Amino acid sequence: MKLILLGAPGAGKGTVAKMLTAMDGSVQISTGDILRGAVKDGTELGKKAEAFMKAGDLVPDDLIMGIMEERLQQDDCKSGFLLDGFPRTIPQANELKELLTRINVELDFAVELDVPRDVILDRLTTRRTCVGCGAIYNVKSMPPKVEGVCDKCGADVVQRDDETEAAISNRLDVYNEKTAPLVDFYSKEDMLLSITATSSDVVVAAIKEKLEA
Ligand code: ADP
């Protein structure tokens, strides 16, 4: 499958992507994970991206397109991919369309995860992330077996820098302003599956049904 996952921060894109990759060997491509990795490793990209990320602002489109142009041409993408957190702006969506045509790759569709704002706020303030493998936990509903330690890789599980209340609120505003218009964009392309659901199982079932239709 070749899908775009759209949805506000905390809508469940990452969780759904992980469930889908387990089904058919397609890869999850999270621009957020790639950028956090670059910040952690102190690369040029990381240095350029860090301040934007910490404030909950978007990283400039040209940096993101550079990452994705390279990433989408790697071999593991041939068996399918789930774009998680990209595209995030109309210019990114336009450039992605042009890039996919150029490298001769066809998307199945874009999925919008539509989750109420109160659910999102609750999820983001209680979310914890593994600094090693990016696994996602929740202090209320899915804590790691040992507090602060990842079940999967043993690295630290922490609250992200951009998961303070101020940064979360900014990320949601940025989403509404810059990313929400993509719902219309993909709807006009006749490529949108919109799902109003808070359960990842329900979301995955709806995606499967559409892929098989
Ligand atoms: P979220 O939980 O907000 O969906 P991500 O992990 O996708 O978080 O992204 C974290 C941060 O990385 C964003 O707030 C932004 O600064 C940056 N980022 C990730 N993807 C993009 C993108 N496609 N365009 C611009 N900035 C991005």
Side-chain angles (χ1 to χ4, degrees), residues 7-11 13-14 30-36 49-61 64-65 68 84-89 92 124 127 160 162-163 167 171-172 174-175 179:
K13 300 182 296 289
S30 156
T31 40
D33 285 347
I34 294 172
L35 291 167
R36 277 186 290 280
E50 190 167 12
F52 295 105
M53 294 177 73
K54 193 157 183 178
D57 289 327
L58 293 181
V59 170
D61 290 334
I64 300 290
M65 291 315 302
M68 289 308 292
D84 161 14
F86 170 86
R88 251 324 205 271
T89 63
Q92 288 181 20
L124 290 178
R127 175 155 92 175
R160 276 168 38 180
D162 61 356
E163 277 168 2
R171 277 160 67 207
L172 291 175
V174 170
Y175 178 81
T179 310

mmCIF file of all heavy atoms in Angstrom, residues 7-11 13-14 30-36 49-61 64-65 68 84-89 92 124 127 160 162-163 167 171-172 174-175 179, ligand 1:
data_model
loop_
_atom_site.group_PDB
_atom_site.id
_atom_site.type_symbol
_atom_site.label_atom_id
_atom_site.label_comp_id
_atom_site.label_asym_id
_atom_site.label_seq_id
_atom_site.Cartn_x
_atom_site.Cartn_y
_atom_site.Cartn_z
ATOM 1 N N GLY A 7 -3.786 14.108 9.632
ATOM 2 C CA GLY A 7 -4.491 14.228 10.901
ATOM 3 C C GLY A 7 -3.680 15.083 11.837
ATOM 4 O O GLY A 7 -2.451 15.158 11.721
ATOM 5 N N ALA A 8 -4.348 15.725 12.768
ATOM 6 C CA ALA A 8 -3.680 16.604 13.718
ATOM 7 C C ALA A 8 -2.646 15.818 14.526
ATOM 8 O O ALA A 8 -2.722 14.595 14.597
ATOM 9 C CB ALA A 8 -4.719 17.217 14.645
ATOM 10 N N PRO A 9 -1.707 16.530 15.158
ATOM 11 C CA PRO A 9 -0.816 15.854 16.096
ATOM 12 C C PRO A 9 -1.675 15.102 17.115
ATOM 13 O O PRO A 9 -2.673 15.641 17.581
ATOM 14 C CB PRO A 9 -0.070 16.995 16.798
ATOM 15 C CG PRO A 9 -0.217 18.176 15.913
ATOM 16 C CD PRO A 9 -1.484 17.990 15.133
ATOM 17 N N GLY A 10 -1.329 13.861 17.406
ATOM 18 C CA GLY A 10 -2.098 13.110 18.391
ATOM 19 C C GLY A 10 -3.327 12.413 17.822
ATOM 20 O O GLY A 10 -4.052 11.741 18.541
ATOM 21 N N ALA A 11 -3.550 12.533 16.515
ATOM 22 C CA ALA A 11 -4.722 11.874 15.921
ATOM 23 C C ALA A 11 -4.514 10.363 15.809
ATOM 24 O O ALA A 11 -5.465 9.615 15.611
ATOM 25 C CB ALA A 11 -5.044 12.464 14.550
ATOM 26 N N LYS A 13 -1.725 8.948 13.829
ATOM 27 C CA LYS A 13 -1.077 8.569 12.570
ATOM 28 C C LYS A 13 0.019 7.534 12.796
ATOM 29 O O LYS A 13 0.108 6.551 12.080
ATOM 30 C CB LYS A 13 -0.452 9.802 11.880
ATOM 31 C CG LYS A 13 -1.442 10.891 11.549
ATOM 32 C CD LYS A 13 -0.766 12.057 10.815
ATOM 33 C CE LYS A 13 0.274 12.799 11.635
ATOM 34 N NZ LYS A 13 -0.273 13.616 12.723
ATOM 35 N N GLY A 14 0.850 7.776 13.790
ATOM 36 C CA GLY A 14 1.984 6.884 14.046
ATOM 37 C C GLY A 14 1.524 5.492 14.449
ATOM 38 O O GLY A 14 2.043 4.486 13.958
ATOM 39 N N SER A 30 8.144 8.622 8.705
ATOM 40 C CA SER A 30 7.703 9.724 9.543
ATOM 41 C C SER A 30 8.735 10.835 9.463
ATOM 42 O O SER A 30 9.875 10.665 9.895
ATOM 43 C CB SER A 30 7.559 9.235 10.990
ATOM 44 O OG SER A 30 7.673 10.318 11.897
ATOM 45 N N THR A 31 8.341 11.968 8.885
ATOM 46 C CA THR A 31 9.300 13.080 8.800
ATOM 47 C C THR A 31 9.680 13.557 10.199
ATOM 48 O O THR A 31 10.807 13.958 10.437
ATOM 49 C CB THR A 31 8.745 14.245 7.955
ATOM 50 O OG1 THR A 31 7.364 14.426 8.254
ATOM 51 C CG2 THR A 31 8.911 13.975 6.485
ATOM 52 N N GLY A 32 8.724 13.471 11.141
ATOM 53 C CA GLY A 32 9.029 13.845 12.532
ATOM 54 C C GLY A 32 10.134 12.966 13.105
ATOM 55 O O GLY A 32 11.083 13.457 13.725
ATOM 56 N N ASP A 33 10.050 11.637 12.894
ATOM 57 C CA ASP A 33 11.090 10.722 13.398
ATOM 58 C C ASP A 33 12.434 10.994 12.717
ATOM 59 O O ASP A 33 13.485 10.978 13.363
ATOM 60 C CB ASP A 33 10.710 9.254 13.142
ATOM 61 C CG ASP A 33 9.626 8.763 14.108
ATOM 62 O OD1 ASP A 33 9.347 9.454 15.108
ATOM 63 O OD2 ASP A 33 9.048 7.682 13.841
ATOM 64 N N ILE A 34 12.398 11.237 11.409
ATOM 65 C CA ILE A 34 13.644 11.502 10.675
ATOM 66 C C ILE A 34 14.296 12.766 11.240
ATOM 67 O O ILE A 34 15.501 12.800 11.513
ATOM 68 C CB ILE A 34 13.375 11.657 9.160
ATOM 69 C CG1 ILE A 34 12.889 10.321 8.568
ATOM 70 C CG2 ILE A 34 14.629 12.153 8.417
ATOM 71 C CD1 ILE A 34 12.407 10.395 7.125
ATOM 72 N N LEU A 35 13.481 13.797 11.462
ATOM 73 C CA LEU A 35 14.016 15.065 11.982
ATOM 74 C C LEU A 35 14.523 14.914 13.418
ATOM 75 O O LEU A 35 15.588 15.433 13.752
ATOM 76 C CB LEU A 35 12.942 16.156 11.917
ATOM 77 C CG LEU A 35 12.544 16.618 10.504
ATOM 78 C CD1 LEU A 35 11.267 17.446 10.548
ATOM 79 C CD2 LEU A 35 13.671 17.426 9.866
ATOM 80 N N ARG A 36 13.768 14.202 14.256
ATOM 81 C CA ARG A 36 14.246 14.006 15.642
ATOM 82 C C ARG A 36 15.562 13.236 15.652
ATOM 83 O O ARG A 36 16.464 13.526 16.440
ATOM 84 C CB ARG A 36 13.184 13.288 16.493
ATOM 85 C CG ARG A 36 12.112 14.245 17.046
ATOM 86 C CD ARG A 36 11.152 13.551 17.998
ATOM 87 N NE ARG A 36 10.279 12.611 17.314
ATOM 88 C CZ ARG A 36 9.179 12.960 16.641
ATOM 89 N NH1 ARG A 36 8.792 14.219 16.588
ATOM 90 N NH2 ARG A 36 8.446 12.056 16.033
ATOM 91 N N ALA A 49 16.841 22.290 11.745
ATOM 92 C CA ALA A 49 15.437 22.006 12.086
ATOM 93 C C ALA A 49 15.094 22.244 13.562
ATOM 94 O O ALA A 49 13.942 22.499 13.910
ATOM 95 C CB ALA A 49 15.118 20.551 11.722
ATOM 96 N N GLU A 50 16.103 22.176 14.422
ATOM 97 C CA GLU A 50 15.859 22.079 15.865
ATOM 98 C C GLU A 50 14.952 23.171 16.448
ATOM 99 O O GLU A 50 13.982 22.870 17.146
ATOM 100 C CB GLU A 50 17.193 22.051 16.605
ATOM 101 C CG GLU A 50 17.030 21.703 18.061
ATOM 102 C CD GLU A 50 18.365 21.355 18.729
ATOM 103 O OE1 GLU A 50 19.439 21.598 18.125
ATOM 104 O OE2 GLU A 50 18.302 20.850 19.862
ATOM 105 N N ALA A 51 15.274 24.431 16.158
ATOM 106 C CA ALA A 51 14.520 25.523 16.787
ATOM 107 C C ALA A 51 13.054 25.527 16.343
ATOM 108 O O ALA A 51 12.150 25.747 17.162
ATOM 109 C CB ALA A 51 15.172 26.863 16.464
ATOM 110 N N PHE A 52 12.824 25.256 15.049
ATOM 111 C CA PHE A 52 11.438 25.198 14.558
ATOM 112 C C PHE A 52 10.664 24.129 15.322
ATOM 113 O O PHE A 52 9.528 24.327 15.749
ATOM 114 C CB PHE A 52 11.394 24.827 13.068
ATOM 115 C CG PHE A 52 12.005 25.846 12.153
ATOM 116 C CD1 PHE A 52 13.246 25.624 11.573
ATOM 117 C CD2 PHE A 52 11.330 27.022 11.855
ATOM 118 C CE1 PHE A 52 13.817 26.551 10.716
ATOM 119 C CE2 PHE A 52 11.883 27.962 10.997
ATOM 120 C CZ PHE A 52 13.136 27.727 10.432
ATOM 121 N N MET A 53 11.296 22.968 15.465
ATOM 122 C CA MET A 53 10.600 21.838 16.079
ATOM 123 C C MET A 53 10.272 22.111 17.527
ATOM 124 O O MET A 53 9.173 21.822 17.991
ATOM 125 C CB MET A 53 11.461 20.587 15.971
ATOM 126 C CG MET A 53 11.636 20.145 14.547
ATOM 127 S SD MET A 53 12.707 18.741 14.445
ATOM 128 C CE MET A 53 11.649 17.455 15.086
ATOM 129 N N LYS A 54 11.236 22.663 18.235
ATOM 130 C CA LYS A 54 11.033 22.897 19.661
ATOM 131 C C LYS A 54 9.847 23.836 19.905
ATOM 132 O O LYS A 54 9.084 23.665 20.855
ATOM 133 C CB LYS A 54 12.313 23.465 20.275
ATOM 134 C CG LYS A 54 12.261 23.435 21.763
ATOM 135 C CD LYS A 54 13.638 23.454 22.405
ATOM 136 C CE LYS A 54 13.406 23.347 23.910
ATOM 137 N NZ LYS A 54 14.596 23.298 24.690
ATOM 138 N N ALA A 55 9.666 24.808 19.011
ATOM 139 C CA ALA A 55 8.572 25.768 19.163
ATOM 140 C C ALA A 55 7.246 25.208 18.643
ATOM 141 O O ALA A 55 6.197 25.822 18.830
ATOM 142 C CB ALA A 55 8.913 27.045 18.410
ATOM 143 N N GLY A 56 7.312 24.047 17.980
ATOM 144 C CA GLY A 56 6.086 23.496 17.397
ATOM 145 C C GLY A 56 5.758 24.114 16.055
ATOM 146 O O GLY A 56 4.645 23.993 15.561
ATOM 147 N N ASP A 57 6.730 24.813 15.453
ATOM 148 C CA ASP A 57 6.529 25.383 14.116
ATOM 149 C C ASP A 57 6.968 24.380 13.057
ATOM 150 O O ASP A 57 7.735 23.468 13.338
ATOM 151 C CB ASP A 57 7.361 26.663 13.953
ATOM 152 C CG ASP A 57 6.816 27.800 14.786
ATOM 153 O OD1 ASP A 57 5.580 27.866 14.957
ATOM 154 O OD2 ASP A 57 7.628 28.611 15.283
ATOM 155 N N LEU A 58 6.540 24.603 11.817
ATOM 156 C CA LEU A 58 6.956 23.704 10.749
ATOM 157 C C LEU A 58 8.374 24.025 10.295
ATOM 158 O O LEU A 58 8.794 25.180 10.277
ATOM 159 C CB LEU A 58 6.009 23.816 9.549
ATOM 160 C CG LEU A 58 4.586 23.311 9.771
ATOM 161 C CD1 LEU A 58 3.777 23.464 8.492
ATOM 162 C CD2 LEU A 58 4.582 21.855 10.226
ATOM 163 N N VAL A 59 9.083 22.979 9.909
ATOM 164 C CA VAL A 59 10.407 23.106 9.319
ATOM 165 C C VAL A 59 10.184 23.554 7.858
ATOM 166 O O VAL A 59 9.211 23.134 7.227
ATOM 167 C CB VAL A 59 11.105 21.727 9.419
ATOM 168 C CG1 VAL A 59 12.385 21.682 8.629
ATOM 169 C CG2 VAL A 59 11.336 21.370 10.888
ATOM 170 N N PRO A 60 11.064 24.414 7.295
ATOM 171 C CA PRO A 60 10.832 24.914 5.931
ATOM 172 C C PRO A 60 10.644 23.799 4.887
ATOM 173 O O PRO A 60 11.298 22.756 4.953
ATOM 174 C CB PRO A 60 12.106 25.720 5.642
ATOM 175 C CG PRO A 60 12.604 26.149 6.991
ATOM 176 C CD PRO A 60 12.237 25.027 7.936
ATOM 177 N N ASP A 61 9.752 24.056 3.944
ATOM 178 C CA ASP A 61 9.395 23.069 2.925
ATOM 179 C C ASP A 61 10.604 22.519 2.160
ATOM 180 O O ASP A 61 10.652 21.327 1.853
ATOM 181 C CB ASP A 61 8.415 23.688 1.907
ATOM 182 C CG ASP A 61 7.030 23.938 2.516
ATOM 183 O OD1 ASP A 61 6.660 23.239 3.474
ATOM 184 O OD2 ASP A 61 6.319 24.834 2.014
ATOM 185 N N ILE A 64 12.334 19.707 3.986
ATOM 186 C CA ILE A 64 11.500 18.507 4.009
ATOM 187 C C ILE A 64 11.500 17.816 2.641
ATOM 188 O O ILE A 64 11.625 16.597 2.535
ATOM 189 C CB ILE A 64 10.047 18.880 4.389
ATOM 190 C CG1 ILE A 64 10.007 19.535 5.773
ATOM 191 C CG2 ILE A 64 9.122 17.677 4.305
ATOM 192 C CD1 ILE A 64 10.292 18.614 6.921
ATOM 193 N N MET A 65 11.403 18.608 1.568
ATOM 194 C CA MET A 65 11.357 18.002 0.235
ATOM 195 C C MET A 65 12.682 17.322 -0.096
ATOM 196 O O MET A 65 12.703 16.277 -0.745
ATOM 197 C CB MET A 65 10.997 19.044 -0.830
ATOM 198 C CG MET A 65 9.570 19.551 -0.768
ATOM 199 S SD MET A 65 8.255 18.295 -0.544
ATOM 200 C CE MET A 65 8.487 17.203 -1.958
ATOM 201 N N MET A 68 12.571 13.955 1.608
ATOM 202 C CA MET A 68 11.612 13.007 1.048
ATOM 203 C C MET A 68 11.990 12.551 -0.357
ATOM 204 O O MET A 68 11.728 11.415 -0.736
ATOM 205 C CB MET A 68 10.208 13.616 1.055
ATOM 206 C CG MET A 68 9.632 13.743 2.442
ATOM 207 S SD MET A 68 9.677 12.197 3.395
ATOM 208 C CE MET A 68 8.509 11.219 2.475
ATOM 209 N N ASP A 84 3.701 9.513 7.159
ATOM 210 C CA ASP A 84 3.172 9.908 8.461
ATOM 211 C C ASP A 84 3.758 11.280 8.809
ATOM 212 O O ASP A 84 4.926 11.384 9.134
ATOM 213 C CB ASP A 84 3.581 8.811 9.466
ATOM 214 C CG ASP A 84 3.521 9.247 10.913
ATOM 215 O OD1 ASP A 84 2.927 10.303 11.215
ATOM 216 O OD2 ASP A 84 4.079 8.519 11.768
ATOM 217 N N GLY A 85 2.947 12.316 8.671
ATOM 218 C CA GLY A 85 3.443 13.659 8.981
ATOM 219 C C GLY A 85 3.972 14.405 7.767
ATOM 220 O O GLY A 85 4.606 15.439 7.891
ATOM 221 N N PHE A 86 3.733 13.881 6.599
ATOM 222 C CA PHE A 86 4.130 14.494 5.335
ATOM 223 C C PHE A 86 3.131 14.060 4.272
ATOM 224 O O PHE A 86 2.793 12.875 4.244
ATOM 225 C CB PHE A 86 5.537 14.045 4.935
ATOM 226 C CG PHE A 86 5.909 14.450 3.526
ATOM 227 C CD1 PHE A 86 6.440 15.700 3.279
ATOM 228 C CD2 PHE A 86 5.684 13.579 2.461
ATOM 229 C CE1 PHE A 86 6.750 16.084 1.974
ATOM 230 C CE2 PHE A 86 6.000 13.964 1.166
ATOM 231 C CZ PHE A 86 6.536 15.212 0.925
ATOM 232 N N PRO A 87 2.693 14.933 3.366
ATOM 233 C CA PRO A 87 2.946 16.375 3.329
ATOM 234 C C PRO A 87 2.184 17.118 4.432
ATOM 235 O O PRO A 87 1.209 16.617 4.955
ATOM 236 C CB PRO A 87 2.426 16.781 1.944
ATOM 237 C CG PRO A 87 1.394 15.756 1.599
ATOM 238 C CD PRO A 87 1.851 14.480 2.235
ATOM 239 N N ARG A 88 2.663 18.309 4.733
ATOM 240 C CA ARG A 88 2.125 19.098 5.840
ATOM 241 C C ARG A 88 1.650 20.477 5.382
ATOM 242 O O ARG A 88 1.095 21.216 6.174
ATOM 243 C CB ARG A 88 3.262 19.377 6.781
ATOM 244 C CG ARG A 88 3.485 18.809 8.154
ATOM 245 C CD ARG A 88 2.557 18.490 9.126
ATOM 246 N NE ARG A 88 3.110 18.530 10.455
ATOM 247 C CZ ARG A 88 3.701 17.519 11.097
ATOM 248 N NH1 ARG A 88 3.874 16.379 10.506
ATOM 249 N NH2 ARG A 88 4.098 17.667 12.333
ATOM 250 N N THR A 89 1.950 20.826 4.132
ATOM 251 C CA THR A 89 1.534 22.134 3.592
ATOM 252 C C THR A 89 1.109 21.909 2.137
ATOM 253 O O THR A 89 1.482 20.894 1.530
ATOM 254 C CB THR A 89 2.710 23.147 3.586
ATOM 255 O OG1 THR A 89 3.729 22.652 2.702
ATOM 256 C CG2 THR A 89 3.311 23.351 4.972
ATOM 257 N N GLN A 92 4.093 21.456 -0.134
ATOM 258 C CA GLN A 92 4.643 20.092 -0.032
ATOM 259 C C GLN A 92 3.790 19.108 -0.825
ATOM 260 O O GLN A 92 4.308 18.209 -1.491
ATOM 261 C CB GLN A 92 4.726 19.634 1.432
ATOM 262 C CG GLN A 92 5.823 20.312 2.244
ATOM 263 C CD GLN A 92 5.896 19.819 3.688
ATOM 264 O OE1 GLN A 92 5.410 18.742 4.026
ATOM 265 N NE2 GLN A 92 6.501 20.626 4.555
ATOM 266 N N LEU A 124 -1.963 14.077 23.854
ATOM 267 C CA LEU A 124 -0.629 14.670 23.691
ATOM 268 C C LEU A 124 0.035 14.959 25.028
ATOM 269 O O LEU A 124 1.243 14.818 25.164
ATOM 270 C CB LEU A 124 -0.710 15.951 22.868
ATOM 271 C CG LEU A 124 -1.029 15.748 21.391
ATOM 272 C CD1 LEU A 124 -1.136 17.086 20.691
ATOM 273 C CD2 LEU A 124 0.016 14.891 20.705
ATOM 274 N N ARG A 127 1.271 11.549 26.352
ATOM 275 C CA ARG A 127 2.071 10.723 25.451
ATOM 276 C C ARG A 127 3.547 10.727 25.875
ATOM 277 O O ARG A 127 4.081 11.743 26.286
ATOM 278 C CB ARG A 127 1.934 11.271 24.033
ATOM 279 C CG ARG A 127 2.803 10.599 23.016
ATOM 280 C CD ARG A 127 2.205 10.730 21.647
ATOM 281 N NE ARG A 127 2.696 11.897 20.947
ATOM 282 C CZ ARG A 127 2.375 12.153 19.667
ATOM 283 N NH1 ARG A 127 1.559 11.363 19.014
ATOM 284 N NH2 ARG A 127 2.858 13.211 19.081
ATOM 285 N N ARG A 160 8.294 14.421 24.848
ATOM 286 C CA ARG A 160 9.006 15.187 23.831
ATOM 287 C C ARG A 160 9.102 16.653 24.208
ATOM 288 O O ARG A 160 8.226 17.193 24.855
ATOM 289 C CB ARG A 160 8.267 15.052 22.484
ATOM 290 C CG ARG A 160 8.638 13.806 21.734
ATOM 291 C CD ARG A 160 7.730 13.496 20.570
ATOM 292 N NE ARG A 160 7.281 14.661 19.820
ATOM 293 C CZ ARG A 160 6.481 14.573 18.763
ATOM 294 N NH1 ARG A 160 6.060 13.393 18.335
ATOM 295 N NH2 ARG A 160 6.091 15.648 18.129
ATOM 296 N N ASP A 162 8.583 19.140 22.378
ATOM 297 C CA ASP A 162 7.482 19.940 21.838
ATOM 298 C C ASP A 162 6.153 19.461 22.402
ATOM 299 O O ASP A 162 5.109 19.745 21.859
ATOM 300 C CB ASP A 162 7.492 19.934 20.300
ATOM 301 C CG ASP A 162 7.315 18.542 19.700
ATOM 302 O OD1 ASP A 162 7.266 17.552 20.464
ATOM 303 O OD2 ASP A 162 7.212 18.444 18.472
ATOM 304 N N GLU A 163 6.186 18.727 23.520
ATOM 305 C CA GLU A 163 4.931 18.335 24.149
ATOM 306 C C GLU A 163 4.691 19.063 25.470
ATOM 307 O O GLU A 163 4.051 18.538 26.373
ATOM 308 C CB GLU A 163 4.783 16.808 24.169
ATOM 309 C CG GLU A 163 4.232 16.446 22.788
ATOM 310 C CD GLU A 163 4.215 15.005 22.359
ATOM 311 O OE1 GLU A 163 4.612 14.119 23.132
ATOM 312 O OE2 GLU A 163 3.811 14.772 21.205
ATOM 313 N N ALA A 167 3.737 24.507 23.351
ATOM 314 C CA ALA A 167 4.116 23.987 22.036
ATOM 315 C C ALA A 167 2.977 23.154 21.442
ATOM 316 O O ALA A 167 2.735 23.195 20.231
ATOM 317 C CB ALA A 167 5.393 23.160 22.136
ATOM 318 N N ARG A 171 1.256 23.745 17.928
ATOM 319 C CA ARG A 171 1.200 22.701 16.888
ATOM 320 C C ARG A 171 -0.216 22.516 16.361
ATOM 321 O O ARG A 171 -0.413 22.305 15.171
ATOM 322 C CB ARG A 171 1.735 21.372 17.435
ATOM 323 C CG ARG A 171 3.261 21.293 17.369
ATOM 324 C CD ARG A 171 3.814 20.265 18.313
ATOM 325 N NE ARG A 171 3.453 18.908 17.956
ATOM 326 C CZ ARG A 171 3.359 17.911 18.839
ATOM 327 N NH1 ARG A 171 3.590 18.129 20.112
ATOM 328 N NH2 ARG A 171 3.042 16.703 18.436
ATOM 329 N N LEU A 172 -1.203 22.586 17.256
ATOM 330 C CA LEU A 172 -2.595 22.424 16.803
ATOM 331 C C LEU A 172 -3.024 23.606 15.934
ATOM 332 O O LEU A 172 -3.701 23.426 14.919
ATOM 333 C CB LEU A 172 -3.538 22.252 18.000
ATOM 334 C CG LEU A 172 -3.367 20.920 18.747
ATOM 335 C CD1 LEU A 172 -4.246 20.884 20.001
ATOM 336 C CD2 LEU A 172 -3.687 19.724 17.858
ATOM 337 N N VAL A 174 -0.994 25.486 14.120
ATOM 338 C CA VAL A 174 -0.266 25.326 12.854
ATOM 339 C C VAL A 174 -0.952 24.263 11.985
ATOM 340 O O VAL A 174 -1.118 24.429 10.775
ATOM 341 C CB VAL A 174 1.221 24.944 13.106
ATOM 342 C CG1 VAL A 174 1.916 24.527 11.818
ATOM 343 C CG2 VAL A 174 1.972 26.089 13.768
ATOM 344 N N TYR A 175 -1.395 23.191 12.627
ATOM 345 C CA TYR A 175 -2.107 22.144 11.874
ATOM 346 C C TYR A 175 -3.345 22.728 11.195
ATOM 347 O O TYR A 175 -3.572 22.534 10.002
ATOM 348 C CB TYR A 175 -2.524 20.970 12.786
ATOM 349 C CG TYR A 175 -3.291 19.935 12.003
ATOM 350 C CD1 TYR A 175 -2.615 19.001 11.222
ATOM 351 C CD2 TYR A 175 -4.680 19.935 11.971
ATOM 352 C CE1 TYR A 175 -3.303 18.096 10.433
ATOM 353 C CE2 TYR A 175 -5.382 19.031 11.179
ATOM 354 C CZ TYR A 175 -4.682 18.111 10.422
ATOM 355 O OH TYR A 175 -5.369 17.233 9.631
ATOM 356 N N THR A 179 -2.016 22.613 7.563
ATOM 357 C CA THR A 179 -2.157 21.225 7.120
ATOM 358 C C THR A 179 -3.605 20.841 6.829
ATOM 359 O O THR A 179 -3.859 20.106 5.868
ATOM 360 C CB THR A 179 -1.542 20.257 8.159
ATOM 361 O OG1 THR A 179 -0.231 20.716 8.484
ATOM 362 C CG2 THR A 179 -1.452 18.844 7.622
HETATM 363 P P1 ADP B 1 3.159 15.475 15.360
HETATM 364 O O1 ADP B 1 2.956 14.656 16.552
HETATM 365 O O2 ADP B 1 3.045 16.949 15.589
HETATM 366 O O3 ADP B 1 2.419 14.989 14.158
HETATM 367 P P2 ADP B 1 5.727 14.957 14.094
HETATM 368 O O4 ADP B 1 6.546 13.984 14.802
HETATM 369 O O5 ADP B 1 5.069 14.564 12.827
HETATM 370 O O6 ADP B 1 4.679 15.447 15.161
HETATM 371 O O7 ADP B 1 6.551 16.301 13.818
HETATM 372 C C1 ADP B 1 7.249 16.975 14.827
HETATM 373 C C2 ADP B 1 7.788 18.291 14.293
HETATM 374 O O8 ADP B 1 8.668 18.039 13.202
HETATM 375 C C3 ADP B 1 6.744 19.237 13.739
HETATM 376 O O9 ADP B 1 6.160 20.033 14.755
HETATM 377 C C4 ADP B 1 7.573 20.061 12.765
HETATM 378 O O10 ADP B 1 8.372 21.015 13.428
HETATM 379 C C5 ADP B 1 8.503 19.028 12.183
HETATM 380 N N1 ADP B 1 7.953 18.380 10.961
HETATM 381 C C6 ADP B 1 7.642 17.061 10.809
HETATM 382 N N2 ADP B 1 7.175 16.802 9.578
HETATM 383 C C7 ADP B 1 7.174 17.988 8.916
HETATM 384 C C8 ADP B 1 6.794 18.387 7.600
HETATM 385 N N3 ADP B 1 6.304 17.515 6.700
HETATM 386 N N4 ADP B 1 6.930 19.706 7.279
HETATM 387 C C9 ADP B 1 7.422 20.602 8.150
HETATM 388 N N5 ADP B 1 7.791 20.306 9.398
HETATM 389 C C10 ADP B 1 7.686 19.002 9.795
#
